Amino acid sequence: AGRAWGSRGMEAAAGGCRAPLPAWWGLLRGLLLAVLAAGCCRGNSVERKIYIPLNKTAPCVRLLNATHQIGCQSSISGDTGVIHVVEKEEDLKWVLADGPHPPYMILLDGNLFNRRVMLQLKGTSRVSGLAVAVAKPSPPQGFSPGLKCPNDGFGVYSKDYGPQFAHCNKTVWNPVGSGLSYEDFDFPIFLLEDANETQVIKQCYQDHNVPREGSVPEYPLCAMQLFSHMHAVTSTVTCMRRSSLQSTFSINPEIVCDPLLDYNVWSTLQPINSSGKVDPEKEVIIVATRIDSHSFFWNIAPGAESAVSSFVTHLAAAEAIHKASDVHSLQRNIMFTFFQGETFDYIGSSRMVYDMEKDKFPLRLDNIHSFVELNQVALRNDSILWMHTDPVSRMNESVEVQVRNLLDILSNSSVGANVTLQEAGYSQPLPPSSFQRFLRARHIPGVVLTDHKTAFQNRYYQSMYDTPENIRLQYPEGLSPEEMLEYVTDAAKSLAEVATVVARALYRLAGGANNTSAIQADPKTVSRMLYGFLIKMNNSWFQSIIKPDIKGILGDVPQHYVAVSSPVNTTYLVQYVLANLTGTVVNLTKEECLNPEKTPSSEKEMYEYAWVQGSLDPNSTSRVPYCVRSTVHLSKALSPAFELRQWGSTEYSTWTESRWKEIRARIFLVASKELEIITLVVGIAILIFSLLATYFINAKADILFSIPRDPGAVAY
């Protein structure tokens, strides 16, 4: 534009036909440029004045399996509604019938977030979305949006195997389960994680939306807008087919869903060749637990009782048994296994069984001597831990003998401890557990340890309320984060006792003959793990035991959702905690540690090497890194259904997660429809007038903007 104006000026000067432009023209030009510059620099300031963003939220997203979709979504442009606060069931009447300004965006008290209320809201067009405030304290009656029969249809019991136990006919494991997480909602639902933001919404509601003296609230009204449009629809079969076609025929494919996947973590007491095969006559005891959890909202999965209590106990037991002096001469090896994705129809365990069957894993199913699984273990009554076995496989005489031996060893290992192990009963089926996937493939002697004989003690299974408070993890007031990390809680002492019993039993099962009194789990280690996995991941201990290039995984609030990008934080941390507790510090340089194959004595095929950050030097801000050698490995936790492209499988998990473009929430004041229409009409009128005026001015420009000639000038 500047170049155009300049050329005109030069033409006038050179030709001598036109006089210099008047001063007002330059002033107008400068003003126009200033307005444009201000618009470019502060183009979003108007939006900031209109909208208040809600930054601490968690959405409900869409998940899909072979047959249907679950979860929530908004329309493609987001859903908007007038806010109404619902703190008691009577408040719903305004939303469902009386309110004159539908659709409504409900701010729902956490105590009312239940199946009965949600199905009422699901059945009306007067609701455009939902924001749920966390209930504090947790609902005393319990809250579990999971199923009453978790992973039903994917365990061992079916019409062909123990039909009397199929579909939880004998025992309803999760009686509190409402199945809310497995419903499909056609409006967005968000969790408000920040109490301050919840209060801002309530204040906006109080100022603008509360009826005064029985009259209808007047505009402007406080409204909320939620964005959570999901790309995938119908089922995994549909979305995977669409993604596959896109990948095949499009240069820029648009993937609409991704399989839930991650990695299992495993290690062995005695090193084995991870790329080879264990000798057929070599027996291995598998100790297993899950490391993932779930709730109604995306990536909100504290899993204190459902996952963390068991895998922390498992890690502590692994450390305790590694301290035994004769572990490398034991008759049987022990494999410590941490499965990912078990919440979603046993993704991790089904994949490991599949790999064993297909000779894609160092162990075969025939190598398994016995199976010990740690399930929910933190909420024990009278310090009793229940031993669950499979009554169907025990009908086989040889299996019965081995199971009885396993039960006796576990019971004897608890003598003198503050933990009592009792058998749940011969006619009692297995609770939902990874062991069931192994039993589907082969009759293996095994036991599942839990804190419940029948139904779960955990009233917040697969819930946002399965928090540290649920397992009674408490700290004194006034402790600093570092002091909390080192403080030995009662919960830690209790889980350390369980870990001690398990470690001693494993030692005996592996053929150990020495006195087991020296095998003792460390309550301080358990305390550190509970703090790191439940309170604050970004702590000094976790910082010291991980690689420098993955320090970004250490967020503040731990969550244990399996997700679609892998490995997730929990997997990484379980891997490095296990390496720290069971591995050995070796005298290798950084170069040698990162490239162990260049060191002849490294036995790379037997061990994994990790160059970790180390602790801070007391006299400086730098760390003292070192090399850790361990037998800790990762193996894929992706359902075989996706490997086989059997997206409609009923044998394997088929869970996928929809992709989305944006997730956000905001509140603002909305004008009445009449005012919006008036504003639109006036705007259109001004636009038409402007166009006509512009056309007229342009058509008459030679008259309106002609510059009078200097009467004294003569043209030749």
Side-chain angles (χ1 to χ4, degrees):
R3 286 194 295 273
W5 286 113
S7 64
R8 288 192 180 183
M10 286 188 286
E11 285 176 8
C17 297
R18 296 186 180 181
L21 294 171
W24 62 266
W25 189 258
L27 182 63
L28 178 62
R29 172 190 167 199
L31 183 61
L32 177 63
L33 291 174
V35 170
L36 289 173
C40 293
C41 297
R42 304 186 61 183
N44 63 351
S45 61
V46 174
E47 181 177 351
R48 289 200 301 268
K49 290 178 180 178
I50 295 174
Y51 299 104
I52 299 176
L54 303 173
N55 298 316
K56 292 283 289 180
T57 61
C60 160
V61 303
R62 174 168 290 166
L63 300 175
L64 309 99
N65 67 9
T67 55
H68 60 286
Q69 63 185 31
I70 63 172
C72 324
Q73 78 154 354
S74 73
S75 62
I76 194 166
S77 56
D79 287 331
T80 304
V82 173
I83 295 172
H84 189 73
V85 176
V86 175
E87 295 180 326
K88 53 186 183 298
E89 286 204 43
E90 292 75 22
D91 297 335
L92 288 171
K93 191 171 182 291
W94 181 270
V95 173
L96 299 175
D98 297 346
H101 305 118
Y104 284 96
M105 194 68 71
I106 298 174
L107 174 56
L108 186 68
D109 184 271
N111 288 297
L112 294 177
F113 185 53
N114 56 54
R115 185 177 182 85
R116 184 181 67 259
V117 170
M118 291 303 296
L119 291 185
Q120 288 185 64
L121 302 180
K122 184 179 178 179
T124 177
S125 60
R126 292 175 59 87
V127 174
S128 60
L130 202 67
V132 181
V134 179
K136 292 187 177 180
S138 302
Q141 71 277 12
F143 174 75
S144 173
L147 298 172
K148 292 183 183 295
C149 189
N151 291 355
D152 186 23
F154 289 87
V156 69
Y157 302 114
S158 66
K159 61 183 177 60
D160 301 318
Y161 187 100
Q164 68 273 31
F165 305 126
H167 312 300
C168 297
N169 287 335
K170 181 78 173 180
T171 305
V172 177
W173 296 105
N174 185 29
V176 185
S178 65
L180 202 57
S181 288
Y182 296 84
E183 290 287 334
D184 183 38
F185 296 92
D186 59 359
F187 52 78
I189 304 176
F190 278 53
L191 177 69
L192 300 173
E193 300 181 74
D194 188 347
N196 292 327
E197 289 187 344
T198 303
Q199 192 54 45
V200 167
I201 299 171
K202 288 183 176 180
Q203 189 60 53
C204 186
Y205 166 79
Q206 291 288 340
D207 293 343
H208 299 278
N209 296 10
V210 175
R212 307 294 179 189
E213 299 176 357
S215 62
V216 173
E218 297 181 357
Y219 286 99
L221 298 173
C222 191
M224 182 184 294
Q225 190 172 29
L226 302 178
F227 297 84
S228 63
H229 181 67
M230 300 287 129
H231 294 174
V233 295
T234 309
S235 68
T236 289
V237 176
T238 302
C239 79
M240 289 299 293
R241 184 178 65 245
R242 290 177 179 175
S243 297
S244 179
L245 288 171
Q246 284 274 340
S247 300
T248 304
F249 297 108
S250 176
I251 298 174
N252 298 307
E254 183 178 338
I255 308 300
V256 296
C257 67
D258 300 283
L260 296 181
L261 78 152
D262 203 76
Y263 287 89
N264 298 322
V265 182
W266 63 276
S267 75
T268 52
L269 189 62
Q270 301 162 1
I272 62 173
N273 187 341
S274 59
S275 58
K277 290 287 178 290
V278 173
D279 292 338
E281 66 276 4
K282 184 66 176 177
E283 293 182 321
V284 179
I285 301 159
I286 291 185
V287 195
T289 192
R290 68 174 58 189
I291 57 175
D292 68 298
S293 188
H294 179 46
S295 81
F296 186 87
F297 299 99
W298 183 76
N299 206 29
I300 301 295
E305 160 73 341
S306 61
V308 177
S309 69
S310 56
F311 75 70
V312 162
T313 304
H314 189 169
L315 289 164
E319 180 193 34
I321 197 169
H322 269 80
K323 292 178 180 178
S325 57
D326 58 340
V327 291
H328 292 291
S329 61
L330 292 176
Q331 177 186 350
R332 300 182 185 94
N333 204 348
I334 301 174
M335 178 173 154
F336 304 96
T337 314
F338 301 82
F339 291 120
Q340 260 287 14
E342 295 301 273
T343 302
F344 296 95
D345 300 336
Y346 306 118
I347 293 173
S349 55
S350 63
R351 180 52 186 261
M352 184 170 284
V353 172
Y354 174 82
D355 287 344
M356 287 181 176
E357 290 177 322
K358 302 298 181 183
D359 279 344
K360 296 180 179 180
F361 195 79
L363 266 67
R364 300 177 181 88
L365 290 169
D366 291 339
N367 291 118
I368 301 175
H369 169 267
S370 52
F371 198 104
V372 177
E373 180 169 353
L374 286 163
N375 212 305
Q376 304 177 78
V377 295
L379 298 176
R380 303 190 304 281
N381 281 335
D382 301 322
S383 297
I384 296 175
L385 207 59
W386 295 96
M387 301 182 289
H388 299 264
T389 58
D390 172 42
V392 179
S393 61
R394 289 181 69 179
M395 293 178 184
N396 181 298
E397 189 175 341
S398 63
V399 173
E400 167 62 18
V401 170
Q402 291 174 288
V403 170
R404 179 48 55 194
N405 178 58
L406 178 57
L407 295 172
D408 290 342
I409 289 175
L410 281 163
S411 297
N412 293 336
S413 299
S414 67
V415 174
N418 291 327
V419 180
T420 304
L421 271 73
Q422 293 186 15
E423 189 176 350
Y426 187 87
S427 61
Q428 177 81 14
L430 287 169
S433 53
S434 306
F435 180 40
Q436 292 200 32
R437 291 301 302 193
F438 284 79
L439 278 175
R440 284 177 71 134
R442 181 174 175 270
H443 281 180
I444 298 170
V447 63
V448 177
L449 301 177
T450 74
D451 55 20
H452 55 88
K453 182 179 182 181
T454 52
F456 295 162
Q457 297 274 68
N458 185 7
R459 293 173 297 135
Y460 305 108
Y461 183 74
Q462 291 185 6
S463 158
M464 58 187 170
Y465 300 114
D466 191 6
T467 57
E469 292 77 18
N470 187 33
I471 61 169
R472 300 185 280 271
L473 180 62
Q474 298 172 332
Y475 296 90
E477 294 286 340
L479 293 185
S480 67
E482 198 63 28
E483 290 170 335
M484 291 175 71
L485 174 67
E486 301 296 335
Y487 182 80
V488 179
T489 62
D490 291 338
K493 294 174 185 176
S494 174
L495 293 179
E497 290 168 353
V498 176
T500 297
V501 171
V502 171
R504 291 174 179 176
L506 292 173
Y507 176 78
R508 289 285 184 230
L509 276 171
N514 294 340
N515 192 304
T516 59
S517 59
I519 299 176
Q520 188 78 37
D522 185 1
K524 187 173 182 180
T525 301
V526 176
S527 291
R528 287 179 166 186
M529 289 190 286
L530 288 175
Y531 180 79
F533 286 114
L534 288 175
I535 307 294
K536 187 179 177 65
M537 276 188 169
N538 194 10
N539 61 73
S540 60
W541 186 49
F542 278 5
Q543 290 168 7
S544 70
I545 63 174
I546 63 172
K547 291 181 177 180
D549 57 341
I550 62 167
K551 59 185 178 182
I553 68 169
L554 296 177
D556 277 339
V557 181
Q559 303 295 346
H560 308 293
Y561 174 60
V562 59
V564 296
S565 57
S566 59
V568 295
N569 301 11
T570 305
T571 303
Y572 269 131
L573 289 170
V574 168
Q575 177 189 5
Y576 286 103
V577 168
L578 183 59
N580 177 268
L581 298 180
T582 63
T584 307
V585 177
V586 290
N587 187 23
L588 294 178
T589 64
K590 181 178 180 180
E591 179 66 23
E592 291 170 335
C593 191
L594 296 177
N595 302 282
E597 64 278 0
K598 296 180 180 179
T599 305
S601 60
S602 67
E603 297 182 283
K604 178 67 175 70
E605 67 281 358
M606 309 293 283
Y607 296 100
E608 292 289 329
Y609 290 81
W611 185 258
V612 300
Q613 290 194 117
S615 302
L616 284 169
D617 190 323
N619 301 318
S620 71
T621 57
S622 61
R623 295 185 176 274
V624 184
Y626 56 91
C627 186
V628 175
R629 184 186 73 183
S630 71
T631 62
V632 180
H633 307 276
L634 298 181
S635 66
K636 196 178 292 186
L638 169 66
S639 171
F642 298 101
E643 196 98 339
L644 301 168
R645 296 176 67 86
Q646 296 176 357
W647 304 319
S649 173
T650 56
E651 169 74 10
Y652 299 111
S653 171
T654 55
W655 285 105
T656 54
E657 180 185 273
S658 174
R659 289 196 179 186
W660 57 81
K661 185 177 181 180
E662 63 174 344
I663 298 286
R664 61 192 175 102
R666 59 189 185 182
I667 63 172
F668 58 98
L669 294 182
V670 63
S672 66
K673 293 293 181 185
E674 292 79 7
L675 181 57
E676 288 178 345
I677 292 171
I678 291 171
T679 304
L680 177 63
V681 170
V682 170
I684 293 172
I686 292 173
L687 174 64
I688 294 172
F689 175 78
S690 301
L691 292 173
L692 292 173
T694 303
Y695 174 79
F696 173 76
I697 292 170
N698 187 58
K700 304 295 182 180
D702 54 337
I703 299 173
L704 294 173
F705 299 111
S706 62
I707 300 171
R709 243 178 229 191
D710 187 347
V714 180
Y716 296 95

